[in-house]
Amino acid sequence: MAILFAFHGFSAALAGKWQMKVGPRTAIAAAAVSFGGGFLLSAVGVATHNIGLVYFGYGVLGGIGLGLSYTPPIQTLIEWFPDKKGLASGLTIWVGRALLFAPAANILLEKFSSLPTYLGTAVETITENGRLFTETGGKMVEVVYANAADLAKLSTSGLQEGFYIVGSGDTGAAMTLATIGVGYTLVMMGSSLLLKKPHPTYKVEGGTAVTTPTQSVKNVHTDNMFRLPQFYALGTVLVVVASGGMGLIGVAKPLMSEVFSGTLPHIVTAAFASSFILMLSMGNLGGRLAWAAISDKIGRPATFHLFTFGSIAIYAPYPPSSSK
């Protein structure tokens, strides 16, 4: 996740000028190849137990694809709705991940997964080099014992405490990643063909004509933005504020399972932890939509001040309370 968002930011910043030159259709098409291809490469990494391919596929290629696809539709919608720029950008970001990706991934995982072979709780084993083996079907196989605490950390249901044959099950992650990769590629490629910018003379009823970046006196050219202190100040604020939310989302499921499953084992199950992630995602995306709409009313600077200083009040009590 950290690699994904790092390359997301870098690619969005470095490719911005190129995106403006080639237009949204070409940018989204290139993003489809990178993002969908990243999922497919990650699927190969999972199937072959190669963590490097997972990092490069989902992290690097996925992050680049995300960065390339992030701003073109936002810019296009802003030009179609110049009087509601915040709401238009918020809607672009809001629809997708929590509403589509998480449920689709859960359905596919359930479809492609298979439970490991269960041998029971009373199995005669021998230990070799720190690994457990038992004889079954006339041959020695490696086994592992899973207790209730171990099973509570897993997202798979229907498992019992006892011995399981190592490598006999399938999480379904490889096929899920491959299916999602193909789906993303097709959807993004199709979407790239539908993107169309408004004519320069287009205007909203009761509004004014669309102002392109080259016509706006307030626009800062991409060649000059790195020279402005405002760019680095705004970038620093965004990194610090976003890091809090992204850091929490990245560890939310293991945090919920490891901290609370021992004291509340009947409540904090794998399904509960997954629901907690979905709630965080909905709050994350809902905030994008709400703050975007608010920014149309009170302006962008005031909105940034609100959620920047508001975050301090929200996060400050957590370290003292967590140490008790």
Side-chain angles (χ1 to χ4, degrees):
M1 187 68 75
I3 299 174
L4 174 77
F5 283 108
F7 277 89
H8 169 200
F10 290 138
S11 60
L14 297 177
K17 189 175 180 180
W18 173 80
Q19 290 173 329
M20 294 174 63
K21 180 180 179 180
V22 302
R25 290 184 175 180
T26 302
I28 294 296
V33 175
S34 180
F35 194 66
F39 271 86
L40 292 173
L41 188 61
S42 296
V44 175
V46 171
T48 59
H49 303 282
N50 189 327
I51 190 64
L53 288 180
V54 176
Y55 286 154
F56 183 75
Y58 183 77
V60 178
L61 293 182
I64 292 174
L66 193 60
L68 293 178
S69 64
Y70 202 77
T71 55
I74 295 177
Q75 181 60 39
T76 303
L77 270 181
I78 286 176
E79 293 183 12
W80 278 107
F81 302 97
D83 58 329
K84 298 290 183 182
K85 294 181 179 180
L87 183 59
S89 61
L91 283 171
T92 308
I93 302 169
W94 188 74
V95 178
R97 288 182 296 177
L99 298 180
L100 301 177
F101 178 79
N106 289 333
I107 292 172
L108 291 172
L109 284 170
E110 184 176 353
K111 177 179 177 59
F112 294 125
S113 64
S114 60
L115 296 178
T117 303
Y118 178 66
L119 299 179
T121 56
V123 176
E124 292 187 6
T125 62
I126 61 173
T127 303
E128 292 183 6
N129 298 324
R131 299 187 297 174
L132 293 176
F133 292 87
T134 190
E135 183 177 354
T136 179
K139 62 179 181 180
M140 301 298 293
V141 294
E142 184 180 357
V143 296
V144 63
Y145 185 85
N147 56 32
D150 296 326
L151 298 177
K153 299 176 183 179
L154 302 178
S155 58
T156 305
S157 59
L159 297 175
Q160 305 177 53
E161 185 174 355
F163 288 93
Y164 291 87
I165 297 179
V166 174
S168 59
D170 190 345
T171 62
M175 284 300 299
T176 297
L177 287 171
T179 303
I180 292 176
V182 172
Y184 266 129
T185 302
L186 295 177
V187 171
M188 293 174 71
M189 279 291 186
S191 300
S192 69
L193 301 176
L194 300 176
L195 279 178
K196 181 181 179 181
K197 286 194 171 186
H199 191 273
T201 59
Y202 165 79
K203 65 178 182 178
V204 179
E205 185 177 351
T208 57
V210 173
T211 302
T212 62
T214 55
Q215 295 172 323
S216 173
V217 296
K218 295 183 179 180
N219 180 65
V220 178
H221 196 275
T222 52
D223 291 338
N224 299 325
M225 66 179 184
F226 292 109
R227 304 174 185 175
L228 299 178
Q230 293 92 331
F231 172 80
Y232 296 99
L234 183 60
T236 301
V237 171
L238 285 173
V239 169
V240 172
V241 173
S243 296
M246 293 304 176
L248 178 60
I249 291 175
V251 300
K253 189 168 184 177
L255 177 67
M256 178 62 65
S257 299
E258 294 175 10
V259 174
F260 297 105
S261 62
T263 55
L264 302 170
H266 299 294
I267 298 177
V268 184
T269 61
F272 181 89
S274 297
S275 299
F276 178 64
I277 294 294
L278 183 60
M279 291 169 58
L280 283 178
S281 298
M282 290 299 292
N284 176 23
L285 299 181
R288 295 168 185 255
L289 181 60
W291 285 116
I294 291 172
S295 70
D296 286 329
K297 300 294 185 180
I298 66 175
R300 253 57 79 176
T303 304
F304 270 100
H305 292 154
L306 271 177
F307 63 64
T308 299
F309 292 108
S311 298
I312 297 175
I314 293 172
Y315 286 111
Y318 277 90
S321 62
S322 62
S323 62
K324 292 180 181 180

